[in-house]
Amino acid sequence: MLCCICKEKEATVHLTQIAGDKMQKVDLCEECAKSKGVNDPTGFSLADLLLGLGASQEIEQASGGVELKCPRCGFTQADFKKAGRLGCPECYKTFAEALEGLLKTMHKGSRHVGKAPESLRQSRDLADRLKLLHKKLGKAIEAEDFEEAAILRDEIRQTQARLTNSPAP
């Protein structure tokens, strides 16, 4: 079994964390274990091991040295550093600024957009386009710009036709 961090050397240190009914395993080579402070309980940071090198330092730097605490569950940065996870949904708001950089490095962005089939996405885009066109049409009529309104009316008809002809999700 290879080390989870360097992915080169044989793992000789095996850590297991059980939280509730979930279990996480981390396998490290001796060198990575020492560099992460596994033998030194005060230097050990599960957040760094699970989320990548420097994760807990990044959160500390983003908070500007002020110890943040979740008003709902009382979770602190130190708790995150030890556990490698947050305490409740409110923690995401409390630690938002500190987590943004960390999430961007872990994922493509800091906002979850989910996945949707291509046909559904296309029909959503067309529906959004229709709403925008209707707003523009209302403004053009208000401003008595009837030439623009006629152009928008035609574009609305074309978009509605495309929407009704698009495959249903």
Side-chain angles (χ1 to χ4, degrees):
M1 185 176 301
L2 292 178
C3 173
C4 291
I5 294 178
C6 71
K7 295 178 181 24
E8 294 174 359
K9 299 177 186 152
E10 189 68 25
T12 56
V13 177
H14 308 281
L15 302 172
T16 304
Q17 177 187 27
I18 300 172
D21 61 342
K22 293 185 181 184
M23 181 171 72
Q24 290 181 316
K25 291 184 178 182
V26 179
D27 302 301
L28 307 169
C29 67
E30 188 133 356
E31 191 175 304
C32 289
K34 283 181 185 174
S35 71
K36 298 308 287 169
V38 173
N39 296 333
D40 175 16
T42 59
F44 177 66
S45 171
L46 190 58
D48 280 341
L49 286 172
L50 297 176
L51 301 175
L53 302 172
S56 57
Q57 285 91 353
E58 191 170 328
I59 287 179
E60 286 174 20
Q61 288 172 353
S63 67
V66 177
E67 181 69 19
L68 297 175
K69 187 175 185 177
C70 177
R72 183 173 177 193
C73 69
F75 214 73
T76 65
Q77 291 168 265
D79 294 329
F80 173 76
K81 187 174 178 179
K82 287 178 194 170
R85 58 185 172 81
L86 297 171
C88 72
E90 187 68 28
C91 286
Y92 286 92
K93 293 177 185 169
T94 305
F95 301 107
E97 189 178 322
L99 289 171
E100 189 171 355
L102 182 63
L103 290 174
K104 281 182 181 177
T105 58
M106 291 171 57
H107 304 289
K108 291 181 182 177
S110 60
R111 182 174 174 262
H112 178 70
V113 292
K115 292 183 180 179
E118 183 66 27
S119 60
L120 177 63
R121 201 173 78 237
Q122 285 176 350
S123 56
R124 281 183 187 167
D125 290 345
L126 286 173
D128 290 344
R129 177 86 179 129
L130 264 177
K131 287 179 188 176
L132 179 68
L133 289 171
H134 279 290
K135 282 183 182 178
K136 285 183 176 182
L137 178 63
K139 287 180 182 177
I141 291 171
E142 239 178 70
E144 296 183 7
D145 186 355
F146 299 114
E147 289 178 21
E148 179 69 19
I151 293 169
L152 290 167
R153 179 203 60 209
D154 295 341
E155 195 173 341
I156 287 171
R157 286 181 183 160
Q158 290 173 354
T159 306
Q160 283 174 329
R162 285 177 48 203
L163 186 60
T164 45
N165 293 334
S166 68

